Amino acid sequence: MLFFANNIFAQDYTTQKIQEIGLIADRFVGEDKFENLFYINKNTLFRKSQDRIVEYKALQLGDISSVDLLNPLRISVFYKDANTVVILDNRLNELKRIAFDRIANFKMVDFCTTANDKSLWIFNADTQELEIFNYNQEKSALQTLPISENIINQKSNFNFCWLQTENGYKQFNVYGSLIKEVAVKFDALELYKNYILLLNKKGDSYYFNYKSEELSNIEMPKIDYKQALLNNEKLYLYDGKKINIYKITPNN
């Protein structure tokens, strides 16, 4: 199914600031459902709770490419240059480390995010296929057909994976089937439950309910920010000094 930005729009949304939290870091990663803050500083991952700060670092693996907090009990930390993913528990203790160039079926991985049942969504750079990789068995359960477009980024939840392209995104299910293509240009994609936030720093941003296929404009705050994240029905904008937290509400 191909969906365009000029489809019928639903009600527009706006943002209302509800909180700000001071934070000096190289990168803000997000907040989990236990209200722990995660961030990266000097290539070290930190988890800050109300009473303590814990950290994880594996400097020999190079720069942290991405951190996925979808399952806060099994956090995936991907190091693209080392072709390696590390699985951490909620206290940032290492549970498992997978070097994709050392497994039986060598894989060169561009993107790696959390799937279900101790599995990962990985994008294989050699085959240009999206795969569901079981990291206990160290093998892929399935893969999609090769994808011809250039893949810019990847986001996922337990049931679906979204690949950002230069012209929009492609949505795949856990069976490896392409179920939707959306032709909306955007800078970044964030998701929470049934909603996808398509962000543009210049131009319109969209709030998309992929279950009902309702596309809405969203009025973004007029501030400069380095990162934007969507979680727990809240929008987080990090400007390098503080996390600005907003509630997303429909216009009346």
Side-chain angles (χ1 to χ4, degrees), residues 14-23 28 30-32 35-38 220-221 223-225 227-239 241-249:
T14 189
T15 53
Q16 178 183 358
K17 189 170 183 177
I18 56 174
Q19 189 181 3
E20 66 178 47
I21 301 171
L23 178 68
F28 173 55
E31 183 181 33
D32 67 13
E35 297 185 345
N36 298 308
L37 295 176
F38 291 80
M220 293 290 291
I223 65 169
D224 290 329
Y225 61 89
Q227 293 164 261
L229 298 108
L230 186 66
N231 192 29
N232 296 326
E233 300 177 345
K234 294 182 287 189
L235 171 66
Y236 299 74
L237 298 181
Y238 180 57
D239 63 11
K241 295 182 180 179
K242 61 182 180 297
I243 307 163
N244 303 278
I245 306 175
Y246 299 83
K247 181 180 179 181
I248 298 175
T249 57

Side-chain angles (χ1 to χ4, degrees), residues 85-88 93-98 135-138:
V85 64
V86 179
I87 308 300
L88 307 176
N93 297 308
E94 189 169 322
L95 298 175
K96 191 173 182 65
R97 182 180 296 201
I98 306 101
Y135 54 75
N136 276 354
Q137 300 175 1
E138 294 193 352

